[in-house]
Amino acid sequence: MSDTAVWATVLAGCAACLGLKLVGAYVPRHWLAGEPVNRLMGLVTVALLAGLLAVQTAGQGQGLAVDSRLAAVAAAGVALWLRAPFIAVVIIGAAVAAGLRALGLP
Amino acid sequence: MTDSPARPQGGRTAVRAARRQAVSVAVATGLSGISFGALAVAAGLSIWQAQLLSMLMFTGGSQFALVGVLGAGGLGGAAVASAALLGGRNLLYAVQLGPLLGLRGWRRPLGALLTIDESTAVALAQPDPAARRAGFWWAGAGVWVCWNVLTLVGALAGDAMGDPKAWGLDAAAAAAFLGLLWPRLASRPAQATAGLSVVIALAASPWLTPGVPVLLAALAALAVGWWPRAARGGDGADADHPADADQAADAVGPGPSDARDGRAGHAGDNADAAEAGAPRAADRPGEAAAR
């Protein structure tokens, strides 16, 4: 991806996310209040994060691959289960993958 | 102005408590900015591009999503769409906060920029209007400052690191998404949505350009959301809030847990606030980190 395309993506992403916040601040409240909208938005957040997790763990270009990332995510899951803070979870994920790769695994 | 005139002393104490909570949330959340900065640079962004995202997009989940899709070789359009869909919940927070904080004039757009999981959660956790305003502004501005400073630190570190895979940065991104997802999985419909989404994303990956399978997986939310049985399960999801909040509290650390306890207590009195869904997300950087 060219540098121009990355800049365009970054600027468009900023405009979209900031725009959504501004719409929420100026739109009349009754337009968007209500249980169905909140519920659906919560589920969209969960679906996207789960999809990103799956692809970041097992995706490789246009395809799938099983490698050190899977063990790293499993370790991160154990850390979360033990109620480790977010930053520790991220560091544990990186450390497990880096360690396995230092041992020669993919 | 009209803030609890009957108990000025209690009001001032509440404001001080709100500021304390806000500062501890800001520090805990801001730390995750290091991982964002490093991952952004590893995905091919420049330090300036990473910094602009933290300054203007300023919502962690969307920032991690945009960088994750680009890093996987996805199209710019798919990266922007993922970030925007994840940022949609901030719109709902802003709708809730506007009347609650009485935002007017220049405070309105500034408040919109600072509307994220953490500032919303700290604001909703406070007992009176003055404390809510203090909680929102101190948490929002505090996270913005910490998150941006530490994004720069992370980006500089990532730039100096060399091969991102040798440092496990690709796995760190996966761990970050799991960390953002974890506190949102308390209800059955949420678990079903997440499971379905993983299956769809993996099944579609060999056939579609990177980034598109994730958008396709968002359809899982519509499928579960419109399933009448699951809709009834939604009530159960709300009942789960306090437990959910406790767990998330522990996940972030001792500081933010104060804010969380307060919030859990108020969710009951203020069905509207609980409905915003903010409590669930409260403690998460992304959001910070889904920020």
Side-chain angles (χ1 to χ4, degrees):
Chain A
M1 190 177 256
S2 72
D3 192 44
T4 315
V6 176
W7 269 116
T9 305
V10 166
L11 292 174
C14 288
C17 289
L18 185 52
L20 284 166
K21 294 176 175 183
L22 288 167
V23 167
Y26 285 96
V27 96
R29 191 180 181 193
H30 63 266
W31 285 14
L32 284 158
E35 157 67 16
V37 177
N38 286 328
R39 185 183 140 72
L40 193 63
M41 198 58 77
L43 290 179
V44 165
T45 303
V46 166
L48 280 164
L49 289 173
L52 286 161
L53 165 66
V55 168
Q56 191 71 45
T57 303
Q60 190 161 68
Q62 187 170 327
L64 299 174
V66 172
D67 58 27
S68 304
R69 289 175 296 174
L70 196 57
V73 168
V78 172
L80 283 164
W81 188 60
L82 295 173
R83 306 189 160 194
F86 180 85
I87 186 76
V89 170
V90 173
I91 291 170
I92 287 168
V96 168
L100 291 176
R101 282 171 185 155
L103 295 173
L105 290 163
Chain B
M1 287 148 262
T2 55
D3 310 344
S4 45
R7 307 179 293 130
Q9 201 55 49
R12 226 171 298 152
T13 310
V15 166
R16 263 201 303 274
R19 277 186 208 153
R20 263 201 312 277
Q21 289 173 5
V23 169
S24 55
V25 167
V27 171
T29 305
L31 276 176
S32 314
I34 294 186
S35 52
F36 171 73
L39 292 173
V41 169
L45 271 69
S46 69
I47 293 174
W48 268 110
Q49 288 162 340
Q51 202 63 54
L52 198 69
L53 286 173
S54 284
M55 283 163 54
L56 292 182
M57 182 178 276
F58 187 54
T59 176
S62 299
Q63 292 180 231
F64 277 110
L66 185 129
V67 159
V69 172
L70 286 184
L75 296 170
V80 172
S82 301
L85 277 172
L86 266 176
R89 67 188 190 295
N90 292 322
L91 186 157
L92 299 184
Y93 296 163
V95 169
Q96 296 276 339
L97 288 174
L100 208 62
L101 301 174
L103 299 176
R104 287 189 211 303
W106 60 270
R107 286 195 177 84
R108 231 169 173 189
L110 188 63
L113 171 67
L114 299 181
T115 298
I116 50 171
D117 291 332
E118 290 78 10
S119 57
T120 305
V122 172
L124 294 182
Q126 307 309 320
D128 62 52
R132 252 180 258 157
R133 275 199 292 275
F136 173 80
W137 288 109
W138 280 74
V143 173
W144 194 91
V145 169
C146 294
W147 179 254
N148 273 282
V149 168
L150 290 161
T151 293
L152 181 59
V153 171
L156 291 170
D159 213 25
M161 270 179 167
D163 179 17
K165 282 186 91 172
W167 291 86
L169 286 188
D170 51 343
F177 287 126
L178 183 61
L180 292 171
L181 178 62
W182 194 269
R184 301 170 198 272
L185 287 179
S187 77
R188 274 299 163 83
Q191 293 162 6
T193 304
L196 195 57
S197 173
V198 166
V199 171
I200 293 173
L202 292 180
S205 278
W207 315 104
L208 299 168
T209 312
V212 179
V214 171
L215 293 177
L216 207 58
L219 294 176
L222 297 180
V224 174
W226 273 330
W227 196 1
R229 235 176 180 311
R232 252 176 287 138
D235 301 336
D238 288 337
D240 283 345
H241 269 191
D244 196 10
D246 285 347
Q247 188 191 4
D250 291 343
V252 173
S257 78
D258 298 1
R260 216 140 320 92
D261 291 346
R263 186 186 63 226
H266 286 283
D269 326 324
N270 190 346
D272 223 24
E275 208 36 68
R280 214 178 311 210
D283 345 304
R284 284 295 136 180
E287 285 130 235
R291 56 291 287 155

